[in-house]
Amino acid sequence: MSKVIVLLDVDGVLLAMGQQPENTLKVGKMVYDANLPAWLQKLSQIAEIYWCSSWQDQSEQFAHDLGFSSAGYIGFSDLKRTKNYFWGKLEAIEHFMIEHQNQSFVLIDDNANSWLIEESSLLTDLQKNGRLLVIKPFAYTGISEDEMNKVTNYVDHINKSQ
């Protein structure tokens, strides 16, 4: 098995939608938590990070600005939806996970509410089997240090068990 796959959103996760982080890092017009670059750099060494954001075509600029390598992004605009999920990203996430079956995943998205995800039997089964960790940061503040640690610990655990 290869590395854990992290599906990473931008708005509400890397970019807080409300208050600015206490320790800020300004890159161009964007303001990030100053802890993000080191965490993402470490994470990109132990996991594959794919962008799961509407910023699709600009996502590599975020990776460049934050100093890590991403594995690409999930394309939402090309997908012909066949399911009537309330959360628009969910069907594209399912397709991606099916293409990468036998992998473990981390989904980091401020819209990853349990009631949205439970529409998908695939994601529900992956969670029950310990192959999916869902992190739902509070959009107002973005991803917290505690949530970053949960992701790192999960990835380390999965990597050690392989």
Side-chain angles (χ1 to χ4, degrees):
M1 221 186 249
S2 58
K3 292 181 177 178
V4 174
I5 294 176
V6 176
L7 304 178
L8 183 63
D9 186 28
V10 174
D11 290 327
V13 175
L14 301 183
L15 298 174
M17 304 301 285
Q19 72 182 37
Q20 289 189 350
E22 289 180 26
N23 300 315
T24 60
L25 169 69
K26 187 171 183 181
V27 180
K29 296 178 181 179
M30 306 296 186
V31 177
Y32 304 97
D33 181 311
N35 296 321
L36 279 174
W39 176 67
L40 288 166
Q41 289 162 13
K42 177 184 178 193
L43 188 61
S44 70
Q45 293 172 6
I46 61 173
E48 292 182 13
I49 301 174
Y50 284 83
W51 295 101
C52 189
S53 169
S54 58
W55 289 86
Q56 299 170 79
D57 57 342
Q58 299 169 35
S59 58
E60 281 309 305
Q61 186 62 47
F62 286 102
H64 173 75
D65 292 348
L66 294 168
F68 74 98
S69 296
S70 77
Y73 64 85
I74 296 177
F76 303 114
S77 53
D78 301 343
L79 179 68
K80 292 186 181 194
R81 293 194 172 101
T82 60
K83 298 177 182 177
N84 193 24
Y85 289 148
F86 187 75
W87 188 29
K89 288 182 184 180
L90 188 56
E91 191 169 351
I93 291 168
E94 277 185 337
H95 281 280
F96 182 87
M97 289 179 172
I98 290 168
E99 289 173 5
H100 296 86
Q101 61 185 338
N102 303 323
Q103 295 295 118
S104 292
F105 302 93
V106 178
L107 173 59
I108 308 172
D109 195 304
D110 60 302
N111 288 316
N113 295 304
S114 60
W115 63 273
L116 291 173
I117 291 174
E118 71 186 8
E119 286 188 296
S120 167
S121 60
L122 173 66
L123 271 70
T124 302
D125 289 346
L126 287 170
Q127 275 187 300
K128 286 179 185 174
N129 295 325
R131 292 190 33 227
L132 172 62
L133 172 67
V134 177
I135 300 292
K136 184 195 172 304
F138 180 48
Y140 187 76
T141 57
I143 193 166
S144 69
E145 190 171 336
D146 182 50
E147 290 165 329
M148 288 182 221
N149 290 333
K150 284 180 185 175
V151 171
T152 302
N153 291 338
Y154 175 80
V155 171
D156 283 340
H157 171 75
I158 296 296
N159 288 342
K160 287 176 185 171
S161 67
Q162 292 182 12

